[in-house]
Amino acid sequence: MPIEVGQPVADFAATATGDTAVTLSALRGKNVIVYFYPKASTPGCTTEGGDFRDRKPAFDAANTVILGVSRDSLRAQENFKAKQDFNFDLISDQDESVCTLFDVIKLKKMYGKEHLGIERSTFLIDKDGKLANEWRGVKVTGHVDEVLAAAEALNAAH
């Protein structure tokens, strides 16, 4: 059953870059952005990550943590983060547990073939662990500005 806006998000544990164990419960008191992207080091994912990187000081000012998630290996995530100089952690979700929690694995078509993959999606979780906003089927251009505006509004409301 997909998470709904206004509902608490179940705690999850995942391994992130820097061999960091990430749990949602440990981030209580901060807003959390969990954004899902199909594949590390591909053009759209690089652009989206760069947009989050470039806006990180504004997200920090809005008391908001950024986490990127894909099914790539931890090594691929480490390389992606280092190469793009990302200033936030990337989660390796090879068992798809976090993807499943947020219901982002979808049937996709590429070159006429169907496969299961991550639908580019972003979720904003408030400091109490409730889902505040969701964006599914994201188009990269202008997306991070929209997420930042929502995070700032959420921070101002609390």
Side-chain angles (χ1 to χ4, degrees):
M1 190 168 123
I3 301 167
E4 293 185 21
V5 171
Q7 298 298 308
V9 177
D11 195 18
F12 63 81
T15 304
T17 45
D19 208 21
T20 313
V22 174
T23 60
L24 189 57
S25 55
L27 298 170
R28 283 273 158 42
K30 292 187 178 289
N31 300 318
V32 180
I33 296 215
V34 183
Y35 83 93
F36 293 86
Y37 56 94
K39 188 147 181 57
S41 302
T42 56
C45 301
T46 300
T47 299
E48 183 178 28
D51 289 348
F52 275 113
R53 175 197 61 218
D54 297 346
R55 297 291 191 315
K56 187 171 184 295
F59 280 106
D60 288 345
N63 191 35
T64 304
V65 174
I66 302 165
L67 295 171
V69 183
S70 77
R71 298 183 303 179
D72 292 290
S73 68
L74 193 55
R75 183 177 194 168
Q77 297 289 47
E78 294 282 8
N79 291 341
F80 188 35
K81 179 180 177 179
K83 188 174 179 190
Q84 299 305 325
D85 201 23
F86 290 158
N87 46 11
F88 54 88
D89 283 318
L90 301 176
I91 291 173
S92 170
D93 190 33
Q94 289 186 289
D95 70 359
E96 299 180 0
S97 59
V98 183
C99 290
T100 301
L101 176 65
F102 287 90
D103 190 34
V104 298
I105 302 288
K106 303 291 181 193
L107 196 58
K108 299 168 84 173
K109 271 195 172 146
M110 187 181 264
Y111 307 117
K113 291 188 169 132
E114 290 187 337
H115 70 283
L116 286 173
I118 292 179
E119 176 184 49
R120 190 180 305 278
S121 307
T122 303
F123 300 86
L124 175 58
I125 302 162
D126 73 15
K127 62 186 183 64
D128 300 317
K130 289 188 177 132
L131 184 61
N133 291 74
E134 68 177 9
W135 296 264
R136 293 182 180 270
V138 165
K139 302 285 180 250
V140 172
T141 307
H143 174 62
V144 171
D145 291 330
E146 194 178 325
V147 175
L148 177 58
E152 289 171 338
L154 188 60
N155 192 50
H158 281 278

